[in-house]
Amino acid sequence: MKPLKVWLASQSERRASMLEPLFSDLECRGFSNVDETPSPGTVDDKVLSICKKKAAAVPKTHPFDLVIVSDTLLADPDDMEQTLGKPHDSVEAAMMLHRLSGRRHQVWTATGIQLHGQWSYSVEYTIVEFEQLSDERLVELVLNHSWKGKAGGYDFAGPMGEHAKIIEGSESTVLGIAGSAMEILASLQN
């Protein structure tokens, strides 16, 4: 059987590393012109709205059997209707990490899968708990730049992993692909 030709429409190295073991013919190429401003609503509505914008950017015709789009946002632990996206600079990253230090928060991921022209979406959250971060450790986490391009300013599979744990849900959801979508993709692997 011929392997599926798969397009991960994302620039996320973390998402790519999750899918590379599953698909031998994987292309990772995101969009730079998608407006990632969420629409109003709950966190799940917001993350799904961005995911669907990414799906809408996929050309109607393309040479791929399978296309994957995804987006991740954190629910603000102080206001569950507000989100924490990707920090724009080291000051914003430090503020986000300080806000999450010693607390639990929800990480929401929406993933769209287009298989043979039909889109399906999964939206899920995982509860993550941070240990209390010392000022020194917080500075180290900001200076190592692992926050770049990461919702909430941290990479769970990177340096932050030793200071955070999953309380409920799926690790793949925290890393950028909804857990149920990852199960579907695993069932399609070649």
Side-chain angles (χ1 to χ4, degrees):
M1 187 170 124
K2 185 176 126 185
L4 288 174
K5 190 170 173 73
V6 180
W7 176 17
L8 171 61
S10 171
Q11 296 174 8
S12 167
E13 292 176 16
R14 183 67 62 214
R15 288 184 185 112
S17 69
M18 294 167 65
L19 296 175
E20 285 167 348
L22 301 178
F23 302 106
S24 58
D25 191 356
L26 177 68
E27 182 172 329
C28 303
R29 177 175 37 91
F31 303 104
S32 57
N33 59 347
V34 173
D35 175 14
E36 293 192 27
T37 306
S39 54
T42 60
V43 178
D44 56 326
D45 291 335
K46 290 176 183 183
V47 75
L48 181 59
S49 74
I50 297 169
C51 185
K52 286 185 173 183
K53 287 179 185 181
K54 292 177 180 182
V58 172
K60 298 290 182 217
T61 58
H62 54 74
F64 299 94
D65 302 307
L66 178 65
V67 180
I68 304 154
V69 295
S70 208
D71 196 72
T72 302
L73 293 172
L74 273 66
D76 185 326
D78 293 323
D79 182 353
M80 296 294 282
E81 296 300 311
Q82 299 301 315
T83 59
L84 300 177
K86 300 172 192 169
H88 296 98
D89 55 33
S90 59
V91 172
E92 194 173 4
M95 289 171 52
M96 286 183 185
L97 291 174
H98 181 72
R99 179 179 222 138
L100 298 171
S101 179
R103 303 177 75 187
R104 290 182 180 184
H105 60 277
Q106 293 178 341
V107 179
W108 286 85
T109 295
T111 302
I113 299 172
Q114 184 191 59
L115 182 60
H116 306 301
Q118 298 296 318
W119 283 102
S120 63
Y121 296 92
S122 300
V123 182
E124 296 177 16
Y125 73 89
T126 292
I127 299 173
V128 176
E129 182 177 80
F130 278 14
E131 66 185 42
Q132 188 68 42
L133 299 170
S134 68
D135 290 342
E136 295 80 17
R137 187 61 183 140
L138 193 122
V139 168
E140 288 173 17
L141 289 165
V142 172
L143 291 178
N144 73 19
H145 299 284
S146 64
W147 56 267
K148 287 189 174 184
K150 303 290 188 285
Y154 72 92
D155 181 1
F156 186 80
M160 183 50 82
E162 63 188 73
H163 305 287
K165 65 180 176 181
I166 292 175
I167 302 300
E168 176 187 315
S170 165
E171 182 175 344
S172 69
T173 299
V174 179
L175 297 178
I177 298 176
S180 59
M182 195 66 190
E183 290 174 11
I184 293 167
L185 294 169
S187 74
L188 299 171
Q189 72 179 315
N190 50 36

mmCIF file of all heavy atoms in Angstrom, residues 32-79:
data_model
loop_
_atom_site.group_PDB
_atom_site.id
_atom_site.type_symbol
_atom_site.label_atom_id
_atom_site.label_comp_id
_atom_site.label_asym_id
_atom_site.label_seq_id
_atom_site.Cartn_x
_atom_site.Cartn_y
_atom_site.Cartn_z
ATOM 1 N N SER A 32 2.020 31.966 6.895
ATOM 2 C CA SER A 32 2.446 33.167 7.615
ATOM 3 C C SER A 32 1.380 34.257 7.567
ATOM 4 O O SER A 32 1.479 35.247 8.267
ATOM 5 C CB SER A 32 3.757 33.698 7.034
ATOM 6 O OG SER A 32 3.597 33.969 5.659
ATOM 7 N N ASN A 33 0.349 34.072 6.769
ATOM 8 C CA ASN A 33 -0.629 35.130 6.569
ATOM 9 C C ASN A 33 -2.004 34.845 7.184
ATOM 10 O O ASN A 33 -2.963 35.511 6.868
ATOM 11 C CB ASN A 33 -0.792 35.404 5.068
ATOM 12 C CG ASN A 33 -1.249 34.172 4.306
ATOM 13 O OD1 ASN A 33 -1.224 33.069 4.828
ATOM 14 N ND2 ASN A 33 -1.672 34.359 3.072
ATOM 15 N N VAL A 34 -2.100 33.879 8.085
ATOM 16 C CA VAL A 34 -3.383 33.571 8.717
ATOM 17 C C VAL A 34 -3.561 34.478 9.940
ATOM 18 O O VAL A 34 -2.672 34.572 10.788
ATOM 19 C CB VAL A 34 -3.460 32.085 9.147
ATOM 20 C CG1 VAL A 34 -4.726 31.811 9.945
ATOM 21 C CG2 VAL A 34 -3.394 31.179 7.934
ATOM 22 N N ASP A 35 -4.699 35.134 10.020
ATOM 23 C CA ASP A 35 -5.022 35.972 11.169
ATOM 24 C C ASP A 35 -5.364 35.058 12.346
ATOM 25 O O ASP A 35 -6.366 34.354 12.322
ATOM 26 C CB ASP A 35 -6.209 36.878 10.827
ATOM 27 C CG ASP A 35 -6.685 37.702 12.007
ATOM 28 O OD1 ASP A 35 -5.950 37.796 13.022
ATOM 29 O OD2 ASP A 35 -7.794 38.258 11.926
ATOM 30 N N GLU A 36 -4.515 35.052 13.359
ATOM 31 C CA GLU A 36 -4.726 34.173 14.516
ATOM 32 C C GLU A 36 -5.437 34.893 15.660
ATOM 33 O O GLU A 36 -5.356 34.466 16.809
ATOM 34 C CB GLU A 36 -3.395 33.579 14.968
ATOM 35 C CG GLU A 36 -2.817 32.622 13.937
ATOM 36 C CD GLU A 36 -1.662 31.790 14.461
ATOM 37 O OE1 GLU A 36 -1.590 31.531 15.679
ATOM 38 O OE2 GLU A 36 -0.830 31.394 13.642
ATOM 39 N N THR A 37 -6.165 35.954 15.337
ATOM 40 C CA THR A 37 -6.984 36.622 16.345
ATOM 41 C C THR A 37 -8.209 35.754 16.598
ATOM 42 O O THR A 37 -8.967 35.475 15.670
ATOM 43 C CB THR A 37 -7.429 38.013 15.845
ATOM 44 O OG1 THR A 37 -6.283 38.757 15.458
ATOM 45 C CG2 THR A 37 -8.208 38.749 16.933
ATOM 46 N N PRO A 38 -8.407 35.324 17.846
ATOM 47 C CA PRO A 38 -9.566 34.462 18.107
ATOM 48 C C PRO A 38 -10.872 35.242 18.043
ATOM 49 O O PRO A 38 -10.914 36.428 18.324
ATOM 50 C CB PRO A 38 -9.312 33.929 19.514
ATOM 51 C CG PRO A 38 -8.381 34.902 20.154
ATOM 52 C CD PRO A 38 -7.590 35.535 19.040
ATOM 53 N N SER A 39 -11.927 34.539 17.679
ATOM 54 C CA SER A 39 -13.247 35.160 17.723
ATOM 55 C C SER A 39 -13.718 35.172 19.181
ATOM 56 O O SER A 39 -13.186 34.452 20.012
ATOM 57 C CB SER A 39 -14.215 34.404 16.822
ATOM 58 O OG SER A 39 -14.230 33.049 17.146
ATOM 59 N N PRO A 40 -14.714 35.984 19.499
ATOM 60 C CA PRO A 40 -15.206 36.033 20.882
ATOM 61 C C PRO A 40 -15.798 34.687 21.297
ATOM 62 O O PRO A 40 -16.205 33.894 20.467
ATOM 63 C CB PRO A 40 -16.293 37.114 20.843
ATOM 64 C CG PRO A 40 -16.166 37.790 19.536
ATOM 65 C CD PRO A 40 -15.422 36.892 18.619
ATOM 66 N N GLY A 41 -15.855 34.478 22.597
ATOM 67 C CA GLY A 41 -16.467 33.255 23.112
ATOM 68 C C GLY A 41 -15.617 32.614 24.177
ATOM 69 O O GLY A 41 -14.675 33.210 24.700
ATOM 70 N N THR A 42 -15.931 31.372 24.469
ATOM 71 C CA THR A 42 -15.178 30.609 25.461
ATOM 72 C C THR A 42 -13.832 30.207 24.872
ATOM 73 O O THR A 42 -13.600 30.338 23.658
ATOM 74 C CB THR A 42 -15.965 29.352 25.867
ATOM 75 O OG1 THR A 42 -16.180 28.560 24.696
ATOM 76 C CG2 THR A 42 -17.301 29.719 26.507
ATOM 77 N N VAL A 43 -12.943 29.699 25.713
ATOM 78 C CA VAL A 43 -11.604 29.323 25.239
ATOM 79 C C VAL A 43 -11.705 28.264 24.152
ATOM 80 O O VAL A 43 -10.995 28.337 23.135
ATOM 81 C CB VAL A 43 -10.711 28.851 26.409
ATOM 82 C CG1 VAL A 43 -9.345 28.418 25.896
ATOM 83 C CG2 VAL A 43 -10.557 29.955 27.441
ATOM 84 N N ASP A 44 -12.598 27.282 24.310
ATOM 85 C CA ASP A 44 -12.723 26.256 23.277
ATOM 86 C C ASP A 44 -13.226 26.864 21.958
ATOM 87 O O ASP A 44 -12.778 26.475 20.876
ATOM 88 C CB ASP A 44 -13.580 25.073 23.731
ATOM 89 C CG ASP A 44 -14.967 25.454 24.200
ATOM 90 O OD1 ASP A 44 -15.136 26.532 24.789
ATOM 91 O OD2 ASP A 44 -15.896 24.658 23.981
ATOM 92 N N ASP A 45 -14.145 27.843 22.037
ATOM 93 C CA ASP A 45 -14.601 28.533 20.824
ATOM 94 C C ASP A 45 -13.442 29.285 20.160
ATOM 95 O O ASP A 45 -13.307 29.284 18.938
ATOM 96 C CB ASP A 45 -15.711 29.545 21.138
ATOM 97 C CG ASP A 45 -17.016 28.891 21.567
ATOM 98 O OD1 ASP A 45 -17.259 27.726 21.191
ATOM 99 O OD2 ASP A 45 -17.790 29.560 22.290
ATOM 100 N N LYS A 46 -12.628 29.943 20.981
ATOM 101 C CA LYS A 46 -11.520 30.747 20.458
ATOM 102 C C LYS A 46 -10.488 29.877 19.740
ATOM 103 O O LYS A 46 -10.074 30.180 18.630
ATOM 104 C CB LYS A 46 -10.855 31.533 21.593
ATOM 105 C CG LYS A 46 -11.723 32.642 22.144
ATOM 106 C CD LYS A 46 -11.071 33.328 23.325
ATOM 107 C CE LYS A 46 -12.016 34.387 23.892
ATOM 108 N NZ LYS A 46 -11.429 35.138 24.985
ATOM 109 N N VAL A 47 -10.067 28.779 20.393
ATOM 110 C CA VAL A 47 -9.029 27.949 19.787
ATOM 111 C C VAL A 47 -9.558 27.263 18.523
ATOM 112 O O VAL A 47 -8.848 27.126 17.528
ATOM 113 C CB VAL A 47 -8.429 26.954 20.820
ATOM 114 C CG1 VAL A 47 -9.357 25.810 21.123
ATOM 115 C CG2 VAL A 47 -7.069 26.460 20.368
ATOM 116 N N LEU A 48 -10.840 26.878 18.543
ATOM 117 C CA LEU A 48 -11.427 26.267 17.348
ATOM 118 C C LEU A 48 -11.536 27.287 16.212
ATOM 119 O O LEU A 48 -11.302 26.947 15.054
ATOM 120 C CB LEU A 48 -12.795 25.668 17.671
ATOM 121 C CG LEU A 48 -13.507 24.977 16.502
ATOM 122 C CD1 LEU A 48 -12.676 23.825 15.940
ATOM 123 C CD2 LEU A 48 -14.886 24.471 16.947
ATOM 124 N N SER A 49 -11.849 28.544 16.543
ATOM 125 C CA SER A 49 -11.966 29.563 15.494
ATOM 126 C C SER A 49 -10.639 29.778 14.787
ATOM 127 O O SER A 49 -10.592 29.920 13.562
ATOM 128 C CB SER A 49 -12.500 30.887 16.063
ATOM 129 O OG SER A 49 -11.520 31.572 16.831
ATOM 130 N N ILE A 50 -9.546 29.766 15.531
ATOM 131 C CA ILE A 50 -8.223 29.926 14.908
ATOM 132 C C ILE A 50 -7.885 28.708 14.064
ATOM 133 O O ILE A 50 -7.381 28.816 12.943
ATOM 134 C CB ILE A 50 -7.145 30.177 15.976
ATOM 135 C CG1 ILE A 50 -7.418 31.486 16.718
ATOM 136 C CG2 ILE A 50 -5.755 30.213 15.330
ATOM 137 C CD1 ILE A 50 -6.574 31.694 17.963
ATOM 138 N N CYS A 51 -8.177 27.528 14.577
ATOM 139 C CA CYS A 51 -7.920 26.288 13.839
ATOM 140 C C CYS A 51 -8.676 26.295 12.506
ATOM 141 O O CYS A 51 -8.130 25.933 11.468
ATOM 142 C CB CYS A 51 -8.312 25.095 14.704
ATOM 143 S SG CYS A 51 -7.910 23.489 13.993
ATOM 144 N N LYS A 52 -9.934 26.740 12.539
ATOM 145 C CA LYS A 52 -10.730 26.776 11.305
ATOM 146 C C LYS A 52 -10.217 27.838 10.326
ATOM 147 O O LYS A 52 -10.325 27.648 9.111
ATOM 148 C CB LYS A 52 -12.203 26.997 11.642
ATOM 149 C CG LYS A 52 -12.852 25.750 12.218
ATOM 150 C CD LYS A 52 -14.334 25.918 12.446
ATOM 151 C CE LYS A 52 -14.972 24.598 12.856
ATOM 152 N NZ LYS A 52 -16.425 24.710 13.029
ATOM 153 N N LYS A 53 -9.649 28.927 10.840
ATOM 154 C CA LYS A 53 -9.027 29.920 9.946
ATOM 155 C C LYS A 53 -7.838 29.283 9.218
ATOM 156 O O LYS A 53 -7.619 29.531 8.034
ATOM 157 C CB LYS A 53 -8.554 31.143 10.728
ATOM 158 C CG LYS A 53 -9.660 32.054 11.201
ATOM 159 C CD LYS A 53 -9.072 33.228 11.977
ATOM 160 C CE LYS A 53 -10.130 34.114 12.580
ATOM 161 N NZ LYS A 53 -9.539 35.267 13.306
ATOM 162 N N LYS A 54 -7.065 28.485 9.940
ATOM 163 C CA LYS A 54 -5.934 27.794 9.326
ATOM 164 C C LYS A 54 -6.428 26.797 8.277
ATOM 165 O O LYS A 54 -5.845 26.695 7.196
ATOM 166 C CB LYS A 54 -5.087 27.096 10.389
ATOM 167 C CG LYS A 54 -4.356 28.066 11.299
ATOM 168 C CD LYS A 54 -3.581 27.335 12.386
ATOM 169 C CE LYS A 54 -2.844 28.301 13.287
ATOM 170 N NZ LYS A 54 -2.047 27.610 14.318
ATOM 171 N N ALA A 55 -7.506 26.090 8.596
ATOM 172 C CA ALA A 55 -8.071 25.138 7.631
ATOM 173 C C ALA A 55 -8.564 25.862 6.381
ATOM 174 O O ALA A 55 -8.383 25.372 5.258
ATOM 175 C CB ALA A 55 -9.211 24.348 8.272
ATOM 176 N N ALA A 56 -9.156 27.044 6.559
ATOM 177 C CA ALA A 56 -9.660 27.817 5.419
ATOM 178 C C ALA A 56 -8.533 28.304 4.519
ATOM 179 O O ALA A 56 -8.757 28.570 3.330
ATOM 180 C CB ALA A 56 -10.491 29.002 5.917
ATOM 181 N N ALA A 57 -7.330 28.399 5.067
ATOM 182 C CA ALA A 57 -6.176 28.830 4.269
ATOM 183 C C ALA A 57 -5.610 27.713 3.389
ATOM 184 O O ALA A 57 -4.815 27.968 2.486
ATOM 185 C CB ALA A 57 -5.085 29.365 5.189
ATOM 186 N N VAL A 58 -6.024 26.489 3.643
ATOM 187 C CA VAL A 58 -5.565 25.354 2.827
ATOM 188 C C VAL A 58 -6.241 25.446 1.460
ATOM 189 O O VAL A 58 -7.456 25.560 1.371
ATOM 190 C CB VAL A 58 -5.912 24.006 3.521
ATOM 191 C CG1 VAL A 58 -5.610 22.827 2.605
ATOM 192 C CG2 VAL A 58 -5.165 23.884 4.841
ATOM 193 N N PRO A 59 -5.449 25.421 0.392
ATOM 194 C CA PRO A 59 -6.051 25.496 -0.953
ATOM 195 C C PRO A 59 -7.056 24.370 -1.182
ATOM 196 O O PRO A 59 -6.913 23.273 -0.643
ATOM 197 C CB PRO A 59 -4.851 25.342 -1.890
ATOM 198 C CG PRO A 59 -3.647 25.642 -1.067
ATOM 199 C CD PRO A 59 -3.995 25.289 0.344
ATOM 200 N N LYS A 60 -8.073 24.663 -1.985
ATOM 201 C CA LYS A 60 -9.112 23.658 -2.278
ATOM 202 C C LYS A 60 -8.527 22.423 -2.956
ATOM 203 O O LYS A 60 -8.966 21.302 -2.726
ATOM 204 C CB LYS A 60 -10.208 24.259 -3.158
ATOM 205 C CG LYS A 60 -10.950 25.406 -2.502
ATOM 206 C CD LYS A 60 -11.814 24.936 -1.356
ATOM 207 C CE LYS A 60 -12.574 26.108 -0.765
ATOM 208 N NZ LYS A 60 -12.717 26.043 0.662
ATOM 209 N N THR A 61 -7.562 22.649 -3.814
ATOM 210 C CA THR A 61 -6.893 21.517 -4.468
ATOM 211 C C THR A 61 -5.425 21.504 -4.046
ATOM 212 O O THR A 61 -4.775 22.551 -3.992
ATOM 213 C CB THR A 61 -6.989 21.596 -6.006
ATOM 214 O OG1 THR A 61 -6.412 22.810 -6.441
ATOM 215 C CG2 THR A 61 -8.441 21.514 -6.455
ATOM 216 N N HIS A 62 -4.947 20.329 -3.720
ATOM 217 C CA HIS A 62 -3.555 20.122 -3.312
ATOM 218 C C HIS A 62 -3.238 18.638 -3.522
ATOM 219 O O HIS A 62 -4.145 17.817 -3.683
ATOM 220 C CB HIS A 62 -3.347 20.554 -1.853
ATOM 221 C CG HIS A 62 -4.297 19.912 -0.894
ATOM 222 N ND1 HIS A 62 -4.201 18.591 -0.507
ATOM 223 C CD2 HIS A 62 -5.382 20.401 -0.244
ATOM 224 C CE1 HIS A 62 -5.171 18.297 0.333
ATOM 225 N NE2 HIS A 62 -5.913 19.373 0.503
ATOM 226 N N PRO A 63 -1.964 18.285 -3.488
ATOM 227 C CA PRO A 63 -1.585 16.895 -3.776
ATOM 228 C C PRO A 63 -1.560 15.959 -2.567
ATOM 229 O O PRO A 63 -1.052 14.844 -2.669
ATOM 230 C CB PRO A 63 -0.168 17.058 -4.342
ATOM 231 C CG PRO A 63 0.379 18.249 -3.626
ATOM 232 C CD PRO A 63 -0.801 19.175 -3.443
ATOM 233 N N PHE A 64 -2.126 16.375 -1.439
ATOM 234 C CA PHE A 64 -2.007 15.585 -0.212
ATOM 235 C C PHE A 64 -3.252 14.748 0.068
ATOM 236 O O PHE A 64 -4.364 15.163 -0.220
ATOM 237 C CB PHE A 64 -1.726 16.510 0.984
ATOM 238 C CG PHE A 64 -0.437 17.275 0.843
ATOM 239 C CD1 PHE A 64 -0.441 18.558 0.310
ATOM 240 C CD2 PHE A 64 0.764 16.699 1.194
ATOM 241 C CE1 PHE A 64 0.741 19.257 0.153
ATOM 242 C CE2 PHE A 64 1.955 17.389 1.044
ATOM 243 C CZ PHE A 64 1.939 18.671 0.517
ATOM 244 N N ASP A 65 -3.021 13.566 0.664
ATOM 245 C CA ASP A 65 -4.132 12.700 1.090
ATOM 246 C C ASP A 65 -4.705 13.174 2.422
ATOM 247 O O ASP A 65 -5.886 12.974 2.700
ATOM 248 C CB ASP A 65 -3.642 11.254 1.273
ATOM 249 C CG ASP A 65 -3.034 10.687 0.011
ATOM 250 O OD1 ASP A 65 -3.709 10.731 -1.037
ATOM 251 O OD2 ASP A 65 -1.876 10.212 0.073
ATOM 252 N N LEU A 66 -3.840 13.765 3.243
ATOM 253 C CA LEU A 66 -4.190 14.127 4.600
ATOM 254 C C LEU A 66 -3.560 15.477 4.927
ATOM 255 O O LEU A 66 -2.375 15.691 4.654
ATOM 256 C CB LEU A 66 -3.635 13.051 5.545
ATOM 257 C CG LEU A 66 -3.803 13.168 7.041
ATOM 258 C CD1 LEU A 66 -5.270 13.080 7.432
ATOM 259 C CD2 LEU A 66 -3.019 12.060 7.738
ATOM 260 N N VAL A 67 -4.367 16.408 5.481
ATOM 261 C CA VAL A 67 -3.861 17.718 5.907
ATOM 262 C C VAL A 67 -4.217 17.884 7.384
ATOM 263 O O VAL A 67 -5.330 17.532 7.807
ATOM 264 C CB VAL A 67 -4.472 18.877 5.093
ATOM 265 C CG1 VAL A 67 -3.921 20.219 5.550
ATOM 266 C CG2 VAL A 67 -4.222 18.680 3.599
ATOM 267 N N ILE A 68 -3.284 18.433 8.150
ATOM 268 C CA ILE A 68 -3.482 18.634 9.585
ATOM 269 C C ILE A 68 -3.209 20.091 9.921
ATOM 270 O O ILE A 68 -2.163 20.635 9.543
ATOM 271 C CB ILE A 68 -2.536 17.732 10.399
ATOM 272 C CG1 ILE A 68 -2.724 16.273 10.006
ATOM 273 C CG2 ILE A 68 -2.747 17.932 11.906
ATOM 274 C CD1 ILE A 68 -1.509 15.403 10.231
ATOM 275 N N VAL A 69 -4.151 20.724 10.626
ATOM 276 C CA VAL A 69 -3.957 22.067 11.170
ATOM 277 C C VAL A 69 -4.243 22.002 12.666
ATOM 278 O O VAL A 69 -5.026 21.151 13.115
ATOM 279 C CB VAL A 69 -4.865 23.130 10.497
ATOM 280 C CG1 VAL A 69 -4.517 23.296 9.033
ATOM 281 C CG2 VAL A 69 -6.335 22.790 10.663
ATOM 282 N N SER A 70 -3.633 22.888 13.424
ATOM 283 C CA SER A 70 -3.832 22.839 14.868
ATOM 284 C C SER A 70 -3.520 24.185 15.489
ATOM 285 O O SER A 70 -2.746 24.971 14.933
ATOM 286 C CB SER A 70 -2.911 21.765 15.466
ATOM 287 O OG SER A 70 -3.446 21.219 16.633
ATOM 288 N N ASP A 71 -4.121 24.445 16.646
ATOM 289 C CA ASP A 71 -3.805 25.643 17.407
ATOM 290 C C ASP A 71 -3.965 25.330 18.885
ATOM 291 O O ASP A 71 -4.783 24.489 19.267
ATOM 292 C CB ASP A 71 -4.703 26.824 17.018
ATOM 293 C CG ASP A 71 -4.117 28.131 17.509
ATOM 294 O OD1 ASP A 71 -3.108 28.569 16.927
ATOM 295 O OD2 ASP A 71 -4.626 28.689 18.496
ATOM 296 N N THR A 72 -3.169 26.019 19.706
ATOM 297 C CA THR A 72 -3.172 25.799 21.147
ATOM 298 C C THR A 72 -3.247 27.138 21.868
ATOM 299 O O THR A 72 -2.547 28.078 21.498
ATOM 300 C CB THR A 72 -1.900 25.038 21.580
ATOM 301 O OG1 THR A 72 -1.843 23.791 20.878
ATOM 302 C CG2 THR A 72 -1.877 24.781 23.077
ATOM 303 N N LEU A 73 -4.097 27.211 22.881
ATOM 304 C CA LEU A 73 -4.216 28.375 23.756
ATOM 305 C C LEU A 73 -4.322 27.890 25.201
ATOM 306 O O LEU A 73 -4.779 26.772 25.447
ATOM 307 C CB LEU A 73 -5.475 29.188 23.436
ATOM 308 C CG LEU A 73 -5.556 29.905 22.092
ATOM 309 C CD1 LEU A 73 -6.959 30.478 21.890
ATOM 310 C CD2 LEU A 73 -4.514 31.009 21.999
ATOM 311 N N LEU A 74 -3.933 28.736 26.134
ATOM 312 C CA LEU A 74 -4.109 28.439 27.546
ATOM 313 C C LEU A 74 -5.235 29.291 28.084
ATOM 314 O O LEU A 74 -5.373 30.455 27.711
ATOM 315 C CB LEU A 74 -2.842 28.783 28.337
ATOM 316 C CG LEU A 74 -1.767 27.703 28.435
ATOM 317 C CD1 LEU A 74 -1.153 27.421 27.095
ATOM 318 C CD2 LEU A 74 -0.723 28.103 29.433
ATOM 319 N N ALA A 75 -6.025 28.711 28.969
ATOM 320 C CA ALA A 75 -7.023 29.485 29.698
ATOM 321 C C ALA A 75 -6.288 30.204 30.828
ATOM 322 O O ALA A 75 -5.490 29.600 31.554
ATOM 323 C CB ALA A 75 -8.108 28.574 30.264
ATOM 324 N N ASP A 76 -6.524 31.485 30.953
ATOM 325 C CA ASP A 76 -5.915 32.287 32.010
ATOM 326 C C ASP A 76 -6.407 31.747 33.356
ATOM 327 O O ASP A 76 -7.612 31.666 33.586
ATOM 328 C CB ASP A 76 -6.341 33.745 31.821
ATOM 329 C CG ASP A 76 -5.664 34.693 32.791
ATOM 330 O OD1 ASP A 76 -5.411 34.292 33.941
ATOM 331 O OD2 ASP A 76 -5.403 35.844 32.395
ATOM 332 N N PRO A 77 -5.498 31.365 34.260
ATOM 333 C CA PRO A 77 -5.952 30.803 35.531
ATOM 334 C C PRO A 77 -6.735 31.804 36.400
ATOM 335 O O PRO A 77 -7.465 31.398 37.299
ATOM 336 C CB PRO A 77 -4.656 30.364 36.224
ATOM 337 C CG PRO A 77 -3.572 31.113 35.549
ATOM 338 C CD PRO A 77 -4.046 31.388 34.155
ATOM 339 N N ASP A 78 -6.612 33.104 36.103
ATOM 340 C CA ASP A 78 -7.352 34.118 36.855
ATOM 341 C C ASP A 78 -8.728 34.399 36.258
ATOM 342 O O ASP A 78 -9.601 34.936 36.940
ATOM 343 C CB ASP A 78 -6.565 35.435 36.915
ATOM 344 C CG ASP A 78 -5.295 35.287 37.741
ATOM 345 O OD1 ASP A 78 -5.326 34.569 38.759
ATOM 346 O OD2 ASP A 78 -4.271 35.878 37.359
ATOM 347 N N ASP A 79 -8.901 34.079 34.979
ATOM 348 C CA ASP A 79 -10.165 34.348 34.292
ATOM 349 C C ASP A 79 -10.309 33.316 33.179
ATOM 350 O O ASP A 79 -9.753 33.472 32.096
ATOM 351 C CB ASP A 79 -10.184 35.766 33.724
ATOM 352 C CG ASP A 79 -11.490 36.114 33.030
ATOM 353 O OD1 ASP A 79 -12.356 35.220 32.855
ATOM 354 O OD2 ASP A 79 -11.648 37.292 32.653
#
